[in-house]
Amino acid sequence: LLRREPIAIEALAGERLERVAQMHAPIVCINALPPSAVMHARYLYKRLKQHNGHAVRLVGLWNFHGDLDAVRDRIDCHEHDCVVTTFADGLRHIRHNLANLLAQPNHGS
């Protein structure tokens, strides 16, 4: 049910996005670390939103201690997407969205 398919950090953004599109993943996690975490996450988020609009996106800004509301606005997060700063919050968001996906009548068809 839950598969972990990491994409190599060495891969270019376009290669990462192509791989995500091939997987048809219902939930996509973007992980970013300082110093350019917000900038990189925003770029990937916008590209994912354009090309994988069906997926729920989770942005993990690890070691981030700033204003999350400002970051959500800057990234322009969709209402179903989330920005988190801890692994525990990320897992909660993933579990919540998986439960919602499994509850949909067309799941698996």
Side-chain angles (χ1 to χ4, degrees), residues 73-99:
D73 288 342
R74 185 169 175 206
I75 292 174
D76 192 25
C77 283
H78 184 271
E79 65 182 87
H80 299 293
D81 299 335
C82 189
V83 177
V84 298
T85 59
T86 69
F87 190 70
D89 286 344
L91 283 177
R92 272 193 289 280
H93 181 73
I94 290 169
R95 286 183 181 131
H96 172 77
N97 280 289
L98 278 176

Side-chain angles (χ1 to χ4, degrees), residues 39-53:
M39 179 180 68
H40 292 298
R42 181 176 185 255
Y43 175 76
L44 287 173
Y45 180 89
K46 288 180 107 176
R47 298 269 312 264
L48 279 169
K49 198 160 81 168
Q50 290 173 347
H51 301 287
N52 299 84

Side-chain angles (χ1 to χ4, degrees), residues 1 97-105 107:
L1 180 63
N97 280 289
L98 278 176
N100 288 342
L101 288 168
L102 292 173
Q104 293 178 2
H107 177 73

Side-chain angles (χ1 to χ4, degrees), residues 30-38 59-68 71 83-87:
I30 300 169
N31 296 290
L33 290 165
S36 302
V38 175
V59 178
L61 297 178
W62 316 123
N63 295 324
F64 181 80
H65 301 289
D67 181 352
L68 278 182
V71 168
V83 177
V84 298
T85 59
T86 69
F87 190 70

